Amino acid sequence: MESETGTAPEVVHSEQEWRERLSPEEYRVLRQAGTERPFTGEYVDTKTVGVYACRACGAELFRSETKFESHCGWPSFFTPLAGEAVIERTDDSLGMTRTEVLCARCHGHLGHVFAGEGYDTPTDLRYCINSVSLTLVPEEG
Ligand SMILES: [Zn+2]
């Protein structure tokens, strides 16, 4: 895990441009590190096969095969599609130390990753991701 983003985002827009490209809720989550209310996101229970891409820039982030039922109220994945697809950094907001997950391409806020919770998955990691940060691209056929 990286503690700092280290690199500049590949996709860069001014805050004004992001506001125009995203809905108010997408902007609040992706650009202001907000969190959608639990059990309200469109992908919480989705089992459709496909790839979840960043809603802000279209980068492929997670595959449906790594999505699992965490019952936490947000879409949960046990690993990103590729290690370099996301950036992980320490988030000390709200009086807690958590690990924030960002899109590596646009540095949009996706959610947080939690480790060692005892889920029966290959990694025991839970990438707890806001639905509003993602766009599901269903697999053909
Ligand atoms: Zn992105």
Side-chain angles (χ1 to χ4, degrees):
M1 275 184 212
E2 298 175 32
S3 60
E4 296 294 331
T5 58
T7 55
E10 184 184 323
V11 174
V12 179
H13 297 294
S14 70
E15 290 309 304
Q16 182 57 38
E17 287 170 334
W18 280 122
R19 281 182 193 278
E20 289 167 4
R21 286 165 172 266
L22 302 171
S23 75
E25 176 72 353
E26 290 165 359
Y27 182 84
R28 188 180 72 81
V29 173
L30 281 157
R31 305 309 309 175
Q32 299 183 308
T35 300
E36 67 192 8
R37 287 183 296 123
F39 301 102
T40 63
E42 65 180 295
Y43 298 133
V44 175
D45 297 315
T46 303
K47 293 187 174 61
T48 305
V49 174
V51 171
Y52 289 87
C54 174
R55 195 172 294 190
C57 76
E60 296 189 343
L61 300 174
F62 298 95
R63 288 199 57 84
S64 57
E65 289 88 336
T66 65
K67 192 171 186 288
F68 68 100
E69 293 187 59
S70 64
H71 308 286
C72 72
W74 292 275
S76 300
F77 304 86
F78 62 77
T79 184
L81 181 148
E84 65 270 23
V86 300
I87 291 169
E88 299 175 9
R89 71 177 177 192
T90 302
D91 171 12
D92 291 318
S93 67
L94 304 178
M96 302 178 265
T97 297
R98 296 177 294 172
T99 302
E100 182 183 11
V101 182
L102 305 167
C103 171
R105 189 189 282 172
C106 72
H107 290 193
H109 174 81
L110 304 173
H112 291 87
V113 58
F114 302 91
E117 297 176 309
Y119 286 104
D120 185 18
T121 62
T123 61
D124 201 7
L125 295 172
R126 174 169 60 94
Y127 286 82
C128 181
I129 307 299
N130 293 284
S131 296
V132 77
S133 298
L134 300 171
T135 299
L136 173 60
V137 183
E139 207 158 83
E140 296 293 324

